[in-house]
Amino acid sequence: MYEDFASKLAATMWADFDETPRRADGPTAEITDLNTVVIDGNFPWTIVTVETDEGVTGIGEAYPSPGVHEIITDYLQPVLVGENPTDVERLYNLMRGSLSGRGSQEGVGTIAISGVEIALWDVAGKLLDQPVYQLLGGKTREEVVVYADCHAGEAMVESAEEGQEDSTYEPEAYAKAARAAVEDGFDIVKFDLDVPSGREVDTLSRHFDPPEIDHKRRVVEAVTDEIGHDAEVAVDLHWNFSPETAERLCRALEPYDLAWIEDPLPPENTDAMRELKRRVDATILTGENRYGRHGFRDLIEEQGVDFLAPDVPKTGGIAETKKVAEMAEAYYQALIPHNIGSPVATAATAHVGATVPNFVALEYHAREVPWWEDLLVREEDFIQNGRIQVPDAPGLGIELDWDVVEQHRKE
């Protein structure tokens, strides 16, 4: 009963919103179904499929979030079934209109729309026999740089009491992990710094004392001493610090010339982020918790940070991320997109990176997942020497191995 009500409500709101006539030219395919499947990776990668009456299926990916499947199948499916999948921009606005008041501005509603939007671009490219980057205006580069998010550094060390061990994060373990990533061909590596030092700390206060700050400094020192100029080093703070602690930590890290310091403050307050940027000699990055061009507007206009990190399967999809990049270009800001996804999200972000000039690097967050590359039907690795050759095949230019997907499917 609930699903019937949700479908009728979505269809009614869509009918009121949609005043644009359907196109009479171009491909005449119609959308017949939308669905999702979740892959049990280091995150629950949510793959979105859009099927058509031409037998062409598009694949997309939504940021891991509860409720995505229900929104897509109960609310967005009745809006899109019967529509021409090549009208991506119009359908994006239809989806936003159908969820008006229920999360189409940010949050899980936008996440669901993002996954469908990516799949629509894949369908459109396949129907038009063009790669997505060509539909967006063409390439500015043949390959995109990929940086390695190194979730390493945890070491079990013996405590003072015999026979007991504590989990801590030792600088030497970080250095070892950084060297491994560099040997894999990555020119940029990133580590989390909001990690346990082995001391009791009240993290709720967001205030860290000098020994805690020094632990973070020693981690960075160990990594930079190990790899020297072989690669750039960045760190992620995950919004866990107050302005005063973030300032002290940034100042402690100034001698190490980091590529960027990510999310030093909670994401809501642009004024606080801008003030921190002005007070420290550090390159600041944020954006994974912003939604669409409207969510990035004040951050861009007020020059709140140096680098922006939209997440394509979260912030609105491929076209919306490109619009964020175009807004940022007017202020000479560059993109370093956040990405914790499967090869689908990674390919989608690579297409954005190919089409805009102000693109620095794309995050790769799955070095610890040995079968990540196996999800694709390819003869060679998708990521090679810290680079992705932008796919030239129609759509996203990738094909999932559905047998491997099924092996790692999460119910």
Side-chain angles (χ1 to χ4, degrees), residues 155-199:
M156 300 304 296
V157 295
E158 292 187 6
S159 65
E161 297 183 27
E162 186 177 353
Q164 293 186 5
E165 292 183 330
D166 292 325
S167 177
T168 188
Y169 286 74
E170 292 299 307
E172 294 76 14
Y174 273 85
K176 182 179 179 180
R179 174 54 62 188
V182 171
E183 290 177 354
D184 283 345
F186 292 96
D187 295 332
I188 308 174
V189 297
K190 186 181 81 174
F191 291 93
D192 293 345
L193 274 190
D194 56 323
V195 293
S197 64
R199 304 172 65 243

Side-chain angles (χ1 to χ4, degrees), residues 19-93:
E19 298 178 354
T20 306
R22 296 189 185 183
R23 292 171 57 234
D25 59 338
T28 58
E30 292 187 0
I31 297 170
T32 59
D33 197 14
L34 281 72
N35 217 323
T36 67
V37 58
V38 178
I39 300 172
D40 193 12
N42 57 339
F43 295 92
W45 300 322
T46 304
I47 306 301
V48 180
T49 58
V50 172
E51 298 180 17
T52 69
D53 61 354
E54 294 290 324
V56 175
T57 299
I59 55 174
E61 182 169 350
Y63 189 87
S65 179
V68 167
H69 172 79
E70 290 76 14
I71 291 174
I72 289 175
T73 57
D74 294 349
Y75 287 92
L76 299 183
Q77 186 182 56
V79 171
L80 296 186
V81 166
E83 290 290 344
N84 187 328
T86 63
D87 291 339
V88 182
E89 186 75 13
R90 183 172 69 85
L91 298 185
Y92 173 77
N93 284 288

